[in-house]
Amino acid sequence: MSTAQQLPDILSPEFAANPYPVYRMMRDSAPLIRHEATQSWIVSRYEDVERVFKDRGGQFTTENYDWQIEPVHGRTILQLSGREHAVRRALVAPAFRGADLQDRFLPVIERNSRELIDVFRHTGRADLVADYATRFPVNVIADMLGLDKADHDRFHGWYTSVIAFLGNLSGDAGVAEAGARTRVEFAEYMFPIIQERRENPGEDLLSTLCAAEVDGVRMSDEDIKAFCSLLLAAGGETTDKAIASIFANLLAHPGQLAAVRADRSLIPRAFAETLRYTPPVHMIMRQTATEVTLSGGTIPSGATVTCLIGAANRDESRYRDPDRFDILRDDLTTTTAFSAAADHLAFALGRHFCVGALLAKAEVETGVGQLLDALPDLRPDDGFDVVERGVFTRGPQSLPVRFTPTA
Ligand code: HEM
């Protein structure tokens, strides 16, 4: 094991400004770091992160979410395992794939994207983060659940506070208090709606959850509220960052942007490469159930492992020239990129593989397609440089663009 004393700390401003050179140093010379401040063991190589996520030998648990997320969401499927996990996951999984996604929710996705673009298409300028990316995915999930999109600002505030709690690596007291407040506010908001939906079920996903039975038992109001909280946070923040990042990457590579504009079937490739190159979630944790030996050394039983997705996705032993954004690279498989057979690690792998991956793909395909149609000659605003924010989740802070206005 390396002590990594010469490396910038993951909590330092230098790391936050640009983690990628540090990731490289970690993979090369400190692939297993005992990190005192987060009381965890940091792994950065592709082979190690993949092994932790796939967990073939049953050596890792998600008990870390008991302290990392339960205080704000309540108990969710992220913490469950075995049959309990499979049954609950199966309650929402059908809505996020196949016929339900195509027939029931694709129209919702298309309408929500169009509504946002219509606000700025005739103005000639927009911030693709503030005006679009932070609004679109959370509006979609709110609509899918049958919640009132007019409450967007509250949803956005809540999911930002939940994700901040999850990524509160330095234990900031203000972030912890805001998370606790969010739990109370979200419960006060949701319980009357759950009650109403139990009495008057509709076609929405919330009604499906209210009617669902797990092993013959209805889910409690608390279970349903926790599920909704997870869906808003997991489906909002991540896809928000993904959409902002795909545009940041394409705008920085005008030749690739032109290729995608000319051939929209390249959008999934551009999305898969964005997930590899600039993943929305940079870190995921696990707990060891036993002593485990990885490429850099041995981790004791009962320890927390911090898996650096952002580092593993740029491992030169897995991807050629990994610091180059290239939507045509032949060592990233697009056909499996949105399934548990993916080779990039942005959605994790194994039993907790992102249940919303195909929903995210549908949102990105629709969003990028509609934006390219509505915004001809899309270009970064004069003198603008992308600044990325976040070490747990990460994405462009803003993305001011100009274009010829359309009616
Ligand atoms: C680009 C967008 C997205 C990214 C990068 C992403 C990333 C992830 C990751 C890394 C995990 C694994 C967490 C772990 O193993 O500890 C996960 C799980 C999950 N995601 Fe996503 N996600 C995205 C979009 C979505 C969407 C749109 C939804 C649904 C609204 C969603 C819902 C979930 C849920 C419910 C889980 C937990 C699955 C389980 O425990 O079985 N995600 N996601």
Side-chain angles (χ1 to χ4, degrees), residues 65 78 85 89 141 234-235 238-239 284 286 346-347 352 354-356:
Y65 287 122
L78 277 171
H85 171 258
R89 186 173 160 117
I141 195 75
T238 53
T239 316
I284 285 289
R286 289 290 186 265
F347 291 125
H352 293 281
C354 177
V355 77

Side-chain angles (χ1 to χ4, degrees), residues 169-235:
L169 300 175
S170 58
D172 183 284
V175 170
E177 278 162 29
R181 264 199 317 278
T182 293
R183 181 182 179 136
V184 173
E185 284 174 21
F186 191 65
E188 283 171 2
Y189 178 84
M190 283 304 296
F191 285 145
I193 300 175
I194 293 170
Q195 194 55 46
E196 190 268 329
R197 221 51 68 85
R198 284 198 194 280
E199 284 158 19
N200 302 300
E203 295 295 305
D204 51 77
L205 197 52
L206 181 55
S207 298
T208 310
L209 292 175
C210 288
E213 291 189 0
V214 179
D215 287 343
V217 179
R218 284 274 174 98
M219 285 167 78
S220 69
D221 288 8
E222 171 63 32
D223 282 344
I224 294 172
K225 181 225 70 181
F227 220 140
C228 293
S229 178
L230 173 64
L231 291 178
L232 281 172

Side-chain angles (χ1 to χ4, degrees), residues 242-263:
I243 292 174
S245 291
I246 192 173
F247 272 102
N249 291 333
L250 290 173
L251 287 164
H253 299 85
Q256 298 187 49
L257 175 61
V260 173
R261 188 182 275 290
D263 177 2

Side-chain angles (χ1 to χ4, degrees), residues 301-314:
S301 179
T304 302
V305 185
T306 299
C307 299
L308 296 182
I309 293 174
N313 270 355
R314 291 205 190 191

Side-chain angles (χ1 to χ4, degrees), residues 238-283:
T238 53
T239 316
D240 150 356
K241 300 274 186 285
I243 292 174
S245 291
I246 192 173
F247 272 102
N249 291 333
L250 290 173
L251 287 164
H253 299 85
Q256 298 187 49
L257 175 61
V260 173
R261 188 182 275 290
D263 177 2
R264 302 301 165 82
S265 72
L266 291 175
I267 296 173
R269 269 180 178 274
F271 184 30
E273 175 65 346
T274 292
L275 289 170
R276 182 197 70 79
Y277 182 72
T278 46
V281 181
H282 271 232
M283 300 180 185

